[in-house]
Amino acid sequence: MPDLSITDPQIKEAIQKEIDRQSSHLELIASENWVTDAVLEALGSPLNNKYAEGYSGNRYYGGCSVIDEVEDLANQRVQELFGCTYSNVQPHSGSQANEAVYYALLKPGDTVLGMDLNGGGHLTHGSKANISGSYYNFYSYGIDENGLIDYDEILRLAKEVKPKLIVAGASSYPREIDFKRLREIADEVGALLMVDMAHISGLVAAGLHQSPIPYADVVTSTTHKTLRGPRGGMILSSKENNEKYNFNKAVFPGLQGGPFMHVIAAKAVCFKEALQDDFKDYQKQIVKNAKALAEGLKKRGMNLVSGGTDNHLILIDLRDSEITGKELEQRLDEVHLTTNKNTVAGDTRPITQTSGLRIGTPAVTTRGLKEEEMDKIADWIVRVFEDEKNIPQVKEEVMELCKEFPLPH
Ligand SMILES: *Cc1c(COP(=O)(O)O)cnc(C)c1O
């Protein structure tokens, strides 16, 4: 078959341009990563061509025997990785995993308590702009003035609004979340507990963050953040809970049609990689790098939400600064440091500007950067923050480092 460069030179060129961009920039977006060539090979495989609505051994199409093997392997591996007895690897994304769980557990109008967007929650945790916030009656909890989750406040709110479900997990919370405490709160008010561990699932797999599996009724995650797999979602729980709530039925036929079998194969590859010892070393380095970057920023005078980090991300607090999150993001873009603006608790700026900047270490850690380079990154961020005139010089230094650390395979 002719190469893509012949059949579609425009897309071929766009792909090459993106590869060039990725290699000449440092990726500091906390939700991004680089997958291995093995994951990419599974993703680019002809498994894409197969329709397989249903579940292993019970499909709505013929010719699914090989597909069943692939999905069985993915399920066995992810259950071993997280120590659970039920999994569904079909959700196309983290958002769809969440919507499927809501569909399984709730009726429209039911009350749910989730973390608000400003405190670090996700759109699918009840934002008005999201289906979750329009179909269900979401109340939200935030973080206190120190940037920390206030569990007593969650208990107080839960007693007041009597949620059927409490949703925990966040996209920009730099500290460890106490799932055991949340279980106690849920039990005290008779609520179910769902944990969305999208950002931290790699840390959980490596034993570096408290696992939600023993405490939550159901856990959702993406597979492409710290876990370093293909873009996608999953649901984890126990066999008993799946019998009771039927998460399988909520995913298909509730929310989705045919599963993406090439993605499920790539998830299986990712889970196998995550079961290896060197994956633990990788996750440990992510945390060490985040701590080093946080220290580097603090000693140069930057304010951080909660004063630091326990995990893979840092949130710079710009509430006292003239410079908004958006402006700092743009300046850093110019020097090839890719980050994203983020709202912080008590933010008075509009969501299009924000007073926060989120920085994560999973991708640069995959690229091989260590504590020494984190201190350099902190220095660059602060120089660009302090004076726009430093942009050309910092850009040169960033690009030099990019050459020293080629993209991983
Ligand atoms: C990223 C994220 C999601 C959504 O993942 P998508 O795959 O982008 O839909 C859900 N929840 C949390 C907490 C996240 O950080």
Side-chain angles (χ1 to χ4, degrees):
M1 250 194 274
D3 189 84
L4 187 62
S5 59
I6 293 162
T7 58
D8 195 337
Q10 284 166 301
I11 289 296
K12 177 75 183 181
E13 197 183 313
I15 292 171
Q16 191 53 52
K17 277 200 310 217
E18 175 59 14
I19 293 170
D20 294 345
R21 188 197 66 81
Q22 291 186 12
S23 54
S24 63
H25 291 65
L26 287 181
E27 186 53 71
L28 294 165
I29 292 178
S31 48
E32 293 189 17
N33 215 328
W34 273 289
V35 297
T36 58
D37 284 355
V39 168
L40 285 183
E41 184 179 337
L43 266 181
S45 72
L47 294 185
N48 170 72
N49 303 337
K50 187 71 198 99
Y51 242 114
E53 281 178 355
Y55 290 95
S56 189
N58 184 21
R59 305 279 186 185
Y60 289 81
Y61 291 85
C64 286
S65 59
V66 182
I67 287 311
D68 282 0
E69 270 175 49
V70 170
E71 191 162 344
D72 289 347
L73 274 171
N75 280 309
Q76 282 158 20
R77 288 172 183 173
V78 77
Q79 287 171 31
E80 183 185 344
L81 186 62
F82 290 102
C84 59
T85 55
Y86 164 80
S87 55
N88 188 314
V89 292
Q90 291 193 3
H92 300 327
S93 71
S95 297
Q96 282 186 309
N98 289 349
E99 308 299 357
V101 167
Y102 299 151
Y103 190 52
L105 299 181
L106 306 170
K107 299 238 170 343
D110 275 351
T111 297
V112 189
L113 184 58
M115 195 167 188
D116 72 25
L117 210 54
N118 286 357
H122 189 257
L123 275 173
T124 54
H125 298 185
S127 159
K128 284 280 169 264
N130 183 263
I131 194 170
S132 56
S134 67
Y135 281 20
Y136 308 107
N137 181 30
F138 262 87
Y139 289 88
S140 55
Y141 57 90
I143 52 176
D144 65 18
E145 64 276 15
N146 299 317
L148 300 173
I149 293 176
D150 181 347
Y151 296 92
D152 292 332
E153 174 63 9
I154 298 177
L155 177 61
R156 191 193 65 73
L157 271 170
K159 282 181 170 163
E160 190 181 305
V161 307
K162 299 185 180 57
K164 185 165 180 190
L165 173 70
I166 295 177
V167 178
S171 306
S172 56
Y173 187 67
R175 295 297 185 177
E176 179 151 13
I177 301 178
D178 189 349
F179 301 126
K180 181 163 179 283
R181 183 74 207 279
L182 287 159
R183 173 79 265 167
E184 289 161 9
I185 293 170
D187 285 343
E188 205 167 324
V189 299
L192 293 165
L193 177 64
M194 164 182 145
V195 170
D196 174 355
M197 63 170 182
H199 259 262
I200 55 169
S201 49
L203 301 178
V204 170
L208 300 176
H209 188 293
Q210 190 191 94
S211 171
I213 297 288
Y215 305 111
D217 296 288
V218 57
V219 174
T220 59
S221 184
T222 53
T223 48
H224 50 271
K225 297 179 181 172
T226 48
L227 198 52
R228 204 164 62 178
R231 310 202 77 77
M234 62 182 178
I235 300 171
L236 307 176
S237 185
S238 63
K239 270 205 179 77
E240 298 73 39
N241 277 352
N242 184 51
E243 268 157 35
K244 200 158 152 195
Y245 304 115
N246 214 336
F247 300 116
N248 277 0
K249 200 173 137 214
V251 173
F252 171 84
L255 197 67
Q256 295 184 176
F260 295 170
M261 289 315 306
H262 55 310
V263 179
I264 290 173
K267 286 173 180 169
V269 174
C270 150
F271 301 147
K272 183 171 180 187
E273 289 174 357
L275 282 161
Q276 311 306 312
D277 286 339
D278 59 359
F279 186 78
K280 280 200 182 67
D281 299 336
Y282 163 57
Q283 296 293 326
K284 278 185 197 154
Q285 191 63 47
I286 290 178
V287 176
K288 281 194 217 163
N289 281 351
K291 284 198 193 325
L293 185 51
E295 281 313 310
L297 290 166
K298 268 166 52 174
K299 77 179 183 205
R300 291 175 176 87
M302 301 296 282
N303 291 332
L304 305 183
V305 172
S306 85
T309 178
D310 297 328
N311 57 26
H312 63 297
L313 69 85
I314 295 157
L315 209 53
I316 298 182
D317 182 351
L318 298 166
R319 281 176 305 168
D320 290 342
S321 159
E322 300 268 285
I323 297 176
T324 64
K326 184 180 180 191
E327 260 177 274
L328 186 55
E329 178 196 300
Q330 281 171 345
R331 285 190 194 184
L332 291 172
D333 254 339
E334 285 185 53
V335 301
H336 289 202
L337 295 176
T338 313
T339 61
N340 66 279
K341 65 176 181 294
N342 216 103
T343 48
V344 292
D347 211 325
T348 50
R349 293 186 171 115
I351 194 158
T352 50
Q353 301 291 325
T354 80
S355 300
L357 189 87
R358 190 181 68 160
I359 308 175
T361 56
V364 286
T365 305
T366 297
R367 200 163 175 169
L369 274 58
K370 297 228 162 66
E371 289 93 326
E372 192 187 323
E373 290 80 32
M374 294 304 120
D375 196 58
K376 282 189 191 162
I377 292 174
D379 176 58
W380 291 329
I381 291 172
V382 174
R383 276 158 66 196
V384 164
F385 170 76
E386 282 174 346
D387 193 345
E388 275 182 291
K389 288 201 197 74
N390 291 327
I391 285 175
Q393 174 60 29
V394 170
K395 181 179 173 185
E396 224 167 273
E397 292 174 31
V398 173
M399 289 182 67
E400 202 50 47
L401 190 87
C402 286
K403 281 193 205 123
E404 255 179 76
F405 290 87
L407 286 189
H409 288 284

